[in-house]
Amino acid sequence: MLTKEGFSRKLKELMENEPAFGIRDAELLKWGRHFRLPQKTKLIIGRNRTDNEKILELRTDTDTILKTSGYPGPVALIPMEDRHVPHEDLLLAAHIVAAYSDCPENQQCWVTVSSQKGTKRVAVEKKKVTEYRKYLV
């Protein structure tokens, strides 16, 4: 269960980075792990089946969804709201999704990226989740 401390930390981070946030943004705070990438892109990754289902329920047509191909793994969402996601952040998001998947460590892992622009697969090397903790909110 999400602790009050965890929720308040995520809320504070959201208010600092996206002061015009909406109800959906606040609802997303209840689900998954939240990351803030170097170019200020928000990434939300499901921790379990319930998180994955809720994240998919809350997605909009403008969001980007990431999911591993070939191995079980989390669903991840980049809330877009008509913003551009820098290529570097999208690639980092794919690496983070792979890190939380069942893909073997140090192996190539395929991540499917779906958005309004279409669907593509990105090959990344799976690394330990500790490599990405600095982005965790």
Side-chain angles (χ1 to χ4, degrees):
M1 187 73 184
L2 184 64
T3 65
K4 290 179 183 176
E5 179 183 324
F7 184 84
S8 59
R9 184 179 62 250
K10 290 176 188 177
L11 180 58
K12 180 180 182 217
E13 189 276 339
L14 180 65
M15 291 187 319
E16 289 171 355
N17 286 284
E18 299 177 37
F21 70 91
I23 293 171
R24 182 182 81 115
D25 299 307
E27 182 67 24
L28 281 166
L29 294 177
K30 299 176 187 176
W31 308 105
R33 292 179 179 91
H34 290 239
F35 296 82
R36 186 64 68 174
L37 306 182
Q39 302 297 314
K40 302 296 182 193
T41 301
K42 177 76 167 227
L43 174 68
I44 304 166
I45 298 181
R47 293 174 295 211
N48 53 45
R49 180 178 290 170
T50 302
D51 280 1
N52 289 343
E53 290 169 356
K54 285 296 192 178
I55 288 168
L56 289 173
E57 276 179 31
L58 291 166
R59 77 176 176 205
T60 67
D61 292 341
T62 60
D63 294 335
T64 297
I65 297 290
L66 298 92
K67 188 166 179 10
T68 53
S69 302
Y71 293 98
V75 168
L77 179 137
I78 298 175
M80 297 291 292
E81 291 144 21
D82 298 324
R83 288 178 288 181
H84 170 75
V85 176
H87 177 74
E88 298 82 14
D89 277 2
L90 193 58
L91 190 57
L92 177 58
H95 275 94
I96 296 171
V97 169
Y100 282 94
S101 77
D102 289 347
C103 180
E105 197 171 303
N106 298 317
Q107 296 293 316
Q108 178 176 287
C109 183
W110 288 96
V111 177
T112 301
V113 180
S114 302
S115 70
Q116 284 183 320
K117 296 179 182 177
T119 300
K120 63 182 176 181
R121 287 177 32 155
V122 179
V124 296
E125 181 182 334
K126 179 179 175 172
K127 297 179 182 172
K128 294 180 180 185
V129 295
T130 55
E131 298 276 329
Y132 307 106
R133 292 253 164 89
K134 63 184 171 187
Y135 303 111
L136 193 59
V137 174

